[in-house]
Amino acid sequence: MYHKTLHISLFGVSEAVGQTIDAQEPYPRFRHETHSYAAFDPNAFADSDIVVIDADSWRQSTGQALSPAADLGGLVPAWRDAHGERFCILIVVASLDERNAYTADDFAVIDAVWVTPLTQPYLENRISTLFLRAHLRSESLLHNTYFSTLIDSVPDMIWFKTLNGTHLKVNDFFCSVVNKSKEDVIGRGHNYIWGLPEDDTESAEICAKTEALAIEAGHMCSFEEEITTPEGRRKLKTYKAPLYDEDGTVMGTVGMGHDITELGNIQNELNILIDSIPLSVIIEDANDVIAGINALTEQYFEIERANSIGRSFSEWRRDAFGEKLARIREHHESEEFLLTKGDSVRLLYMRKAPILDVFGNPTGRIRLYSDMTEQRELENQALQNARTDYLTGLYNRRYFYEALAENESADSTAIMIMDLDNFKGINDTYGHTVGDHLLVLAANILKDVFAENVVVRWGGDEFVASMRNVSSVDEVCEKAQRFLDLIAEQSEQSCEMCKVTGSVGVVVDFTGTEPIDELIKRADDALYAAKSSGKSCLRVG
C-alpha cells in the first residue's frame, strides 16, 4: 500500500560501506538512496533518515575527536522532531576505545556505534538489521493508521482505559459526543470527560462495575448503561472486554458504546463496523447460519458473498477450507492454521466471540481471521539471515555454537578446521570473482561430504565441521581426506586458474567433556601444523 524511500547519508565513511548498502536487497515497497560526503554537512544530515558518521574521518577533517553530545546535540532534536514517528537512526563508526570513552550524554544523541574494524559479515548484518527495523517501523505505523482509521470510521464511541478508569485512547465519535478533543480526553477520568461534578459518582461507578464484570468474565460482554450528561440522561448499549499484556495480566479494558436512546437497532452500525475492519469477518446468527461477511472474507476464502450468506457455517467451511481441514476444525478450532487455495498458502489467525442482543442474550457469533503469512515469513527470514553466510549458503559461526549447544550430551566430538591453500594469492592474482567461486565450490563439497554433520563458514576461506558420537579418529580423517581429494579434483576441473588445494586440522574428544572453544583452538593448531608440513594435507591434533 505504502512506498518508502530511505535517504541514507554517509559522512567520511569508506566506499565499502556504501557499496554494501547499495547491494542490500530492499524490503517490498522500499527503496533506498545513498549519498556519500567527505565531511559532515548539516543540510544533508537534516534531509536523511539514516546517518552514518565515521569518527576517524571527523578527526581528520576537524582536527578534533568527535563528541556526539557537543558536536551533534544541537542538530539531533530538530532532526528527530521532523521525523516524528517515522524511522530515523544516527550511527557512529568508531574504534572500541572511542566508543568506551563516550558518555551518557553522547549515547543520548546517537543510536548505535559500529565498532571498527568493520568485517564484511558484520557490516552486512548491521545493514540488514537496519533495513528490517525501518521496515517494521513503517509496518507498525501502517497498522496504527489502520487501527486509528478503523475506530475513527465507526459511528459509535470507542475507548481504551486503564484499570483505574483513565482514558488512554478514544475515537472521533467519542469526542463528538462529549464535545472535547482527544488531547483533552486522554489521561482523564469519567466525570471530567462528561462534564460532571466530582462528587457525582453514580455514572462512574456504573462504568467501573461493568468493566469489572467484563474482566471477571475474561471476554467481551455487553451491557445497557444509563449515564448522566449535561444535556440529560442517555442510555448506551456498551461492549466491553479486558485488555491483556504480554504475560496475560489484565492491564485495562476496551469498550464500544452505542447510543440507543433513540436507536434500538444496531444492525446497520455493525455492518459499517465489519466493512471497515482490515480483517476477514464472518457473522453467524443463533442457528450458526451466516448472516454477513466482508470483502476480505471473499478474498481469503474465494467464495462470493452471495454464495455465503444464508448457508450454515459448517457447510460453508467445507467449501472454503476443504473437507480435510474442515473436519479437523470441527473437532478442534486452533487459533492458527494454514489455509491452502490452489498455489497459495496463508497462515491465518482466528478469533471468535458471541454477539449479544440488547437484553444480554446470545444471538450469534462473530469470527475474525487475520492473515499472518507475511509477518511470520519476515520473522523466519530474519532468523535465517542471522544464521547463514550470504555467499556460500552455509551456516555461520553463530549457528555453529547454537547447534552444538543443542546436543551437549554427545559421547564424543570431532572438530575439523579446513582452509584453502594460497587463497589470498589467488584472490590477488585472479580477483574476488574467482575467489568467491572457489569458496562456493568448497562449501558445496563440504555440504556433500558432511551431509549429516554440522558444517559452517568460519570466516574468510576457513570452514569448520563437527561430528558427534564418532567411533575413531580414522572415521573423521576419512571424511577430511575426502574433502581434500574433491577440492583438488573439482577445482582443477572447474578451470585451470581455479586449481586449489586444501589443508585440514583435526581433533577428536572421546570424553565428550572438552569445551568447544578448546577443541577449536586445538584444531587450529593442527591446521597450522598441516600448513607447516607443506600444505595439501591433514594433521591430527
Side-chain angles (χ1 to χ4, degrees), residues 148-159 171-177 236-237 239 255-260 263 265-277:
S148 296
T149 302
L150 167 64
I151 66 173
D152 285 337
S153 301
V154 177
D156 287 312
M157 293 179 289
I158 295 178
W159 62 89
N171 68 342
D172 288 344
F173 193 84
F174 185 101
C175 294
S176 69
V177 171
L236 300 179
K237 178 70 175 182
Y239 300 86
M256 181 172 73
H258 179 74
D259 190 339
I260 57 172
L263 291 174
N265 187 353
I266 63 169
Q267 185 61 50
N268 290 336
E269 283 74 12
L270 282 175
N271 287 338
I272 294 173
L273 173 62
I274 68 167
D275 283 339
S276 303
I277 293 176

Side-chain angles (χ1 to χ4, degrees), residues 44-204:
F45 172 85
D47 294 334
S48 303
D49 302 306
I50 298 175
V51 176
V52 185
I53 301 174
D54 188 283
D56 187 55
S57 295
W58 181 286
R59 184 187 298 104
Q60 293 177 17
S61 62
T62 65
Q64 295 181 337
L66 173 63
S67 173
D71 297 325
L72 305 173
L75 299 173
V76 169
W79 178 62
R80 296 197 193 283
D81 288 344
H83 278 82
E85 296 183 352
R86 293 180 294 113
F87 180 79
C88 65
I89 188 168
L90 172 56
I91 300 162
V92 171
V93 178
S95 68
L96 181 61
D97 289 341
E98 288 171 318
R99 187 197 69 177
N100 292 340
Y102 287 159
T103 67
D105 289 339
D106 292 323
F107 283 110
V109 171
I110 61 179
D111 299 294
V113 177
W114 291 353
V115 177
T116 57
L118 300 178
T119 65
Q120 189 64 19
Y122 173 83
L123 184 58
E124 289 167 355
N125 175 267
R126 294 297 85 202
I127 293 169
S128 175
T129 301
L130 272 183
F131 283 11
L132 175 61
R133 289 178 59 187
H135 173 75
L136 293 178
R137 174 67 65 83
S138 292
E139 288 292 305
S140 175
L141 292 176
L142 177 63
H143 284 88
N144 185 58
T145 299
Y146 285 161
F147 178 69
S148 296
T149 302
L150 167 64
I151 66 173
D152 285 337
S153 301
V154 177
D156 287 312
M157 293 179 289
I158 295 178
W159 62 89
F160 296 81
K161 289 184 182 181
T162 63
L163 290 174
N164 66 6
T166 300
H167 289 68
L168 296 175
K169 188 177 183 69
V170 296
N171 68 342
D172 288 344
F173 193 84
F174 185 101
C175 294
S176 69
V177 171
V178 300
N179 197 28
K180 287 183 173 64
S181 67
K182 289 181 179 179
E183 292 74 17
D184 202 16
V185 169
I186 302 305
R188 296 288 192 164
H190 180 93
N191 282 33
Y192 174 83
I193 292 172
W194 290 97
L196 302 176
E198 287 298 319
D199 57 358
D200 185 352
T201 60
E202 179 184 3
S203 293

Side-chain angles (χ1 to χ4, degrees), residues 321 325 328-329 332-339 346-352 368-373 375-377 379-380:
F321 290 20
L325 180 57
I328 293 173
R329 295 189 65 77
H332 175 66
E333 281 195 308
S334 59
E335 290 183 338
E336 287 191 1
F337 64 97
L338 292 174
L339 176 71
R346 295 179 187 270
L347 174 64
L348 296 182
Y349 180 83
M350 185 273 292
R351 287 158 288 176
K352 61 182 179 179
L368 303 176
Y369 297 88
S370 54
D371 189 347
M372 304 292 290
T373 311
Q375 177 178 329
R376 190 60 51 84
E377 287 175 351
E379 293 171 355
N380 293 338

